[in-house]
Amino acid sequence: MDELEAIKVTFFQECEELLADLEGGLLAMQDGNDDGDTVNAVFRAVHSIKGGAGAFGLEPLVRFAHVFETLLDAVRSNEVPATPDLVVTLLRASDVLADHVSSARGLGDVDEAVSASMAAELKACTDPNAAPAPAAAPVVVEADAPVVEAAAPALIGADDALDDDDLGFDFQPMTITIDEQAADVAAAAGNVWTVSIRPKSDLYRKANETALLLRELARLGPIEATLDASAIPPLDQLDAEAAYATWTVRLETDEDENAIREVFEFVDGDCDLEITRGEAVASDDALAALLAGSAPAPAPAVIEAAPVIEAFEPAPVEAAPEPVAVAPVIKAAPAPVAAPAAPAPVAAAAPAAPAAAAKTQQIDVPGPGQSVIRVDPERIDRLIDLVGELVINQAMLAQRVGEYGIAPSSNLAMGLDELEQLTREIQDSVMAIRAQPVKSVFQRMPRLVREVANMTGKQARLVMDGENTEVDKTVIERLADPITHMLRNAIDHGLESPEERKAAGKNPEGVVRLAALHRSGRIVIEVQDDGKGINRERVFGIAVKKGLISPDLQLTDEEIDNLIFLPGFSTAEKISDVSGRGVGMDVVKRSVQALGGRISISSRPGQGSTFTLSLPLTLAVLDGMVVDVAGETLVIPLACIVESLRPKAEEIRPLGPSGSVLAVRDSFVPLIDVGLTLNYRDQSPAATEGVVLLVEGEDGSRAALVADAIHGQRQVVIKSLEQNYQQVEGVAAATILGDGRVALILDVDAVINLRRRGPPLPSDPTLIAAE
Amino acid sequence: MTEANTTSSNETRELISFRVGEQEYCVDIMAVREIRGWSPATTLPQSPSYMRGVINLRGAVLPIMDLAARIGMPTTEPNVRSVFIVVQADSRTVGLLVDAVSDILSITDDMCQPTPDIACENVRHFVKGIISIEGRMISEISLDRLLPEREALAA
């Protein structure tokens, strides 16, 4: 069963990609790009999800996908026009489909009512007269060539064995009308071609599918396809991954040979292709017999195929058979093909099935030179850890060599320099492996915008930019929440209602722009709306009313804008579902700062606001300032440091019995001796003897940290303290320095807060009780 | 050396014994990862006095605990013979600072006596039992009680 679970996991991964494709395709259609390829891609995405879901017996998902697919098929064949309204419906349907996938995955529930009404809506959109049951979909195309149905039952079955209306899988392909057909055929030998297709297993490995090829051929003219399954060995000798079947297609077309060859462009080299003009030149016995038209018995090819399939009969009847038969086939499937499961038995008969549910060649199969490797992320994490060790070790070596007084021009020192260079390059390359485009987060956002806009009665269009900006996986995982929050905020608070917008002479549809870019070694995320901008008077009023600031405070516009980040600030006048539950931008700010990031807002009345979020590119390393405090080495995150300076005596002013402040250009900042705050010493030396680092805490408050000396700026590898011990107040994490010793990374906010509380009482040295 | 079969029928267990001050203690050998010579530790702020700090153990940050101080005795003054025993307790790895490692003992359960009911609460808390061997008295440490509760400082 574990194997099945593993396949299921892969299936859900695929689903995510497919859902993204689906949404992307629909959005492209919304932008007026509804050419056949896009519609086909959208259809395939839903179809693949359905196929896979059926394999795992995910009934509700299959049912919904089925209805969805039916409509898409109708759109695809131009039976239902893709009007803008319809695309909106399809987009909403894709959201419901995504819900179904999540629900099948055990992550949340589907609102049955929503799903049912959506399904009804989809059905209503589908003209019931025009589109027959979708189970027939692949067949419909070749409707005028009934032989195909018999010839390629495996494929069609593989595709649709799961459909309610096709579940029976009662294998009656022998009812071939070949005899008469063949006779007719022989008579009318105008522009007739005989195409013999013998796929190699590579064809399926690259997620191509014979059924699609046949369908393409059918576009050129009426076809008759015959399956020669005689090469299929008995079950015990069957290699699930090998290709055994050969199709012979009789094609009537006015097109020339090149047109036929074009159909096979994508499988070039992956199948033996013979295209001959005229009838039955095939050396194939079965075909000869078939086309001779006189054979009273059914086509031998089909008979041969039958027993093999029969051997499997019990399994395919149910949608999700015991995985026994299924598992090996899928396991053998080379690509992360998710969907093929249920029709596995069929797959054995015609190994097309694993490929059946996969996306088609144009999208999925990378060129021969750019194959993609899927690697367990844990292996990469391990590699990154190891490279971290290497960096530390290399620094250690360099330090030792320095201690021995070896000349910098010596071979040893020069070798070490090279080592350092190499180490750095390895580190960069390894980090690049784990870097991912922010797309994975961004692609969830269009739906969010739709939903929030619906809920708030506003019209919003999301424009995304820089989806391919890469950032470390550790950061990606933490991006979704802040972005979600900022987008909600932009729509709920930023954009006006359509009426207000019209009155202001704006397009009733507001535009929210989400962009990602790299800037000076950090990733910057911008959320921009073209709404009304921040109402500074109101923000100020609310902050005063809530007691967050004093009413006579003089603030610049920028400072007022940033009041919205204060804890307990929420500007929504009415509490909505979307925002205004008291968890506001302060939460965003805090979570961003916990990652070593910063967030700021700029706003222009009547023109909109922009949130700018900047984050380090990775959480594995950190840029820090290495300082000395009371004989201990500490690292202060560079992101917190505003500036560093050597204070002059006249800039330090005592305040109260023991405190003092530092005058920095007209403002006074509290001086905090780090050594004293962390209990490294009892008495702080004069601040003029040390170095002052002006830092900014998460609430925007500034403090002047006093250290004894600065060693310089360095990139350090972040190590967890909690893994073997626990959180320590005032310490964010640890790192290992060049001398092999552990240095602590300062938690600047905690240090500021510790200081506010005053030093811990000496009578209580153990904060942790024995029990 | 970790091939000792602790579940064999005669219930033989192997223990590593070490000196803390003038007393002898021991821990189950299966919990011991390695024994290392003393190296200076980085002090942890806001920590109890028995936490000597953290060291770099092949890239992992390893907390060092002064066993004497933990049990309530005067803190250990590390010297050249001081070692720390790297042990696994729960999911965490810690180094225990002790004065010296004595030897490896093979004991059966009947050599183990319950901790005498003496007043010192620390002893009752951290000592699992007492082993009498060749006239020596060796106290077995209950490792899972040594580390402070993780939640204690979570707030």
Side-chain angles (χ1 to χ4, degrees), chain A residues 147 176-189 224 226 250 279-280 287-295:
Chain A
V147 185
I176 311 171
T177 45
I178 288 172
D179 293 2
E180 300 110 74
Q181 289 261 349
D184 294 347
V185 162
E224 282 164 31
T226 319
R250 180 186 176 280
E279 299 284 346
L287 187 70
L290 194 74
L291 293 177
S294 54

Side-chain angles (χ1 to χ4, degrees), chain A residues 389 392 396 632-633 677-680 719-731 734-737 740-744 754 760 765-771, chain B residues 40-51 54-63 70 91-94 122 125-126 145 147-155:
Chain A
E389 304 308 316
I392 292 164
M396 227 183 286
E632 300 284 343
T633 309
T677 313
L678 295 183
N679 280 350
Y680 284 154
K719 298 277 175 183
S720 151
L721 262 184
E722 279 124 276
Q723 192 187 337
N724 285 322
Y725 184 48
Q726 61 187 7
Q727 217 180 330
V728 176
E729 220 172 357
V731 177
T735 186
I736 295 166
L737 291 181
R741 291 198 55 178
V742 176
L744 302 177
L754 272 174
T766 53
L767 284 175
I768 308 149
E771 202 29 356
Chain B
T42 302
T43 320
L44 282 175
Q46 322 285 339
S47 299
S49 54
Y50 58 77
M51 289 308 305
V54 285
I55 62 154
N56 163 23
L57 180 72
R58 287 184 301 277
V61 175
L62 183 80
R70 183 64 172 140
S91 57
R92 296 185 275 189
T93 311
V94 253
N122 273 342
H125 192 71
F126 296 123
R145 292 192 175 174
L147 267 186
E149 295 289 316
R150 236 177 244 260
E151 295 76 25
L153 250 180

Side-chain angles (χ1 to χ4, degrees), chain A residues 321-478:
Chain A
E322 270 301 300
V324 195
V326 178
V329 174
I330 296 162
K331 200 177 151 211
V337 176
V346 183
K359 287 174 273 180
T360 48
Q361 58 272 35
Q362 296 95 321
I363 299 172
D364 211 24
V365 180
Q370 36 162 298
S371 61
V372 172
I373 309 174
R374 289 203 178 202
V375 183
D376 184 352
E378 272 176 27
R379 292 193 187 183
I380 295 177
D381 293 350
R382 169 95 187 111
L383 189 60
I384 286 177
D385 284 351
L386 280 174
V387 172
E389 304 308 316
L390 183 64
V391 170
I392 292 164
N393 198 271
Q394 179 272 324
M396 227 183 286
L397 268 178
Q399 191 159 340
R400 295 275 152 80
V401 166
E403 281 165 12
Y404 282 110
I406 290 167
S409 57
S410 66
N411 285 343
L412 179 58
M414 283 186 344
L416 259 177
D417 281 350
E418 272 167 43
L419 178 66
E420 182 177 347
Q421 200 107 34
L422 282 174
T423 318
R424 216 149 251 284
E425 268 174 45
I426 293 176
Q427 188 171 29
D428 289 349
S429 317
V430 171
M431 294 306 290
I433 297 180
R434 204 167 59 171
Q436 290 178 338
V438 290
K439 203 176 192 167
S440 59
V441 177
F442 273 28
Q443 66 192 192
R444 293 182 234 163
M445 298 305 157
R447 170 173 188 181
L448 176 92
V449 170
R450 279 199 296 280
E451 287 180 349
V452 175
N454 259 339
M455 251 187 265
T456 54
K458 295 181 180 171
Q459 291 180 14
R461 189 159 61 87
L462 180 68
V463 178
M464 295 196 287
D465 213 359
E467 291 120 300
N468 290 324
T469 310
E470 288 193 337
V471 63
D472 190 45
K473 186 183 70 117
T474 48
V475 177
I476 289 253
E477 290 158 1
R478 320 285 269 278

